[in-house]
Amino acid sequence: AQSVAQPEDQVNVAEGNPLTVKCTYSVSGNPYLFWYVQYPNRGLQFLLKYITGDNLVKGSYGFEAEFNKSQTSFHLKKPSALVSDSALYFCAVRDGVNFNKFYFGSGTKLNVKP
Amino acid sequence: GAVVSQHPSRVICKSGTSVKIECRSLDFQATTMFWYRQFPKQSLMLMATSNEGSKATYEQGVEKDKFLINHASLTLSTLTVTSAHPEDSSFYICSAPTGGGWATGELFFGEGSRLTVL
């Protein structure tokens, strides 16, 4: 079965500092991994995905994520955080059989303070 | 990216009434759509998979008679909360995958619908 874990409920970072939001995964077969962001009372917005290829994936709004197969991780990163990055972030993994089905982590609330 | 439109964004209803939420894929066809429920400060809970032209597939523990799903066309799925009660108050989000079922496709989400049952 596919699953993802986000070990941190909340991450606090000062504006201008680098940020990392952690995600680990458990899959049978090839991992197809995603990051989404959710602003209050809004749906989820796609940030980036890893399907194959380079381990460092670049996405929207300056975010990137590093796929690490040995550590089964897919941490979201940004070199310099903005206050506007404050939101809820979800890691997700695609089902290995039904490609249309996704499994989401519990979410991490990112707080960027001025 | 692909656009998924969800309506209404907010709805308040009295206990015992039914509420319909629409989910439309605006610039692509979606034979499959997903309905999620999100409780405050929690992750998304997949409720059901909506299939165009056939019955929806419900996740374990979700009452199919309470949450009626109709996938009327390749661009429209509706979720009807029947005989709503205060415990049904929640944030409901629909999504649709692109990519035709291939691994490279993505999941796009509607803006969500906040249901409050008085």
Side-chain angles (χ1 to χ4, degrees):
Chain A
Q2 326 288 77
S3 67
V4 291
Q6 294 180 243
E8 304 156 315
D9 290 337
Q10 186 167 296
V11 169
N12 299 312
V13 65
E15 187 175 30
N17 284 0
L19 69 87
T20 299
V21 182
K22 296 179 180 178
C23 172
T24 59
Y25 65 89
S26 174
V27 302
S28 52
N30 294 323
Y32 301 110
L33 300 160
F34 300 77
W35 274 102
Y36 286 84
V37 60
Q38 184 183 32
Y39 296 98
N41 293 310
R42 304 290 292 275
L44 277 67
Q45 295 178 34
F46 170 77
L47 278 179
L48 50 80
K49 64 182 177 184
Y50 173 82
I51 303 299
T52 186
D54 290 340
N55 290 341
L56 186 63
V57 179
K58 294 188 182 296
S60 306
Y61 312 120
F63 283 93
E64 56 189 29
E66 186 170 9
F67 171 68
N68 188 316
K69 188 174 182 178
S70 63
Q71 296 184 6
T72 62
S73 67
F74 189 57
H75 301 333
L76 181 70
K77 300 181 179 183
K78 187 173 182 179
S80 179
L82 300 173
V83 173
S84 57
D85 293 330
S86 299
L88 192 56
Y89 290 81
F90 290 98
C91 182
V93 65
R94 160 173 265 140
D95 190 278
V97 176
N98 179 356
F99 285 153
N100 283 332
K101 199 166 185 178
F102 285 61
Y103 299 92
F104 287 85
S106 54
T108 299
K109 189 172 189 306
L110 174 65
N111 296 312
V112 181
K113 298 182 179 179
Chain B
V3 179
V4 176
S5 174
Q6 193 172 337
H7 178 80
S9 58
R10 292 179 180 272
V11 57
I12 301 172
C13 69
K14 293 182 179 180
S15 185
T17 60
S18 295
V19 173
K20 180 186 284 187
I21 301 170
E22 293 186 347
C23 181
R24 295 180 185 272
S25 56
L26 295 186
D27 51 359
F28 66 103
Q29 294 182 331
T31 56
T32 301
M33 291 185 178
F34 299 95
W35 287 96
Y36 293 86
R37 183 173 179 176
Q38 187 179 29
F39 294 98
K41 300 182 180 180
Q42 293 191 28
S43 187
L44 285 73
M45 181 191 80
L46 179 63
M47 298 174 65
T49 303
S50 173
N51 304 299
E52 190 269 337
S54 63
K55 292 182 179 180
T57 305
Y58 290 83
E59 297 298 305
Q60 192 172 10
V62 178
E63 299 176 62
K64 61 181 180 181
D65 294 331
K66 158 70 87 174
F67 300 101
L68 299 179
I69 292 173
N70 187 332
H71 201 135
S73 73
L74 288 172
T75 59
L76 174 63
S77 174
T78 59
L79 167 68
T80 301
V81 183
T82 63
S83 187
H85 291 284
E87 57 266 29
D88 298 325
S89 298
S90 193
F91 194 56
Y92 294 88
I93 311 176
C94 72
S95 68
T98 62
W102 294 99
T104 55
E106 297 154 19
L107 201 59
F108 286 89
F109 287 82
E111 289 296 295
S113 299
R114 172 76 59 192
L115 171 63
T116 303
V117 185
L118 303 177

